[in-house]
């Protein structure tokens, strides 16, 4: 059970860091002019959001197991 709590805490920290990074990327995205660089940044944001969602789902699964 301690291992699940440790894993849950680790995932929580990673999700928080990822969320902060996504917020920074979104601020940068909102200040950019239209173009291919902005489109690439939008794709990067999307991928990081999927990664954050994966962390949240994994945390939910760990919580159910505990």
């Amino acid at each position: 059970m301690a291992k699940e709590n440790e894993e849950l805490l680790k995932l929580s920290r990673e999700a928080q860091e990822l969320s902060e990074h996504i917020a920074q990327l979104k601020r940068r995205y909102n200040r950019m002019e239209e173009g291919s660089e902005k489109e690439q940044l939008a794709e990067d944001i999307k991928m990081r959001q999927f990664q954050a969602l994966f962390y949240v789902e994994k945390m939910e699964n760990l919580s159910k197991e505990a």
Side-chain angles (χ1 to χ4, degrees), residues 4 7-8 11 53-66:
E4 288 91 8
E7 183 70 18
L8 191 57
L11 285 170
L53 181 60
F54 172 76
Y55 288 159
V56 169
E57 288 178 358
K58 192 167 182 179
M59 286 186 297
E60 287 176 357
N61 290 337
L62 283 172
S63 292
K64 289 177 184 176
E65 291 176 8

Side-chain angles (χ1 to χ4, degrees), residues 6 8-19 59:
E6 185 178 315
L8 191 57
L9 186 60
K10 179 183 172 191
L11 285 170
S12 178
R13 279 193 301 263
E14 289 179 13
Q16 179 62 35
E17 290 172 7
L18 189 55
S19 176
M59 286 186 297

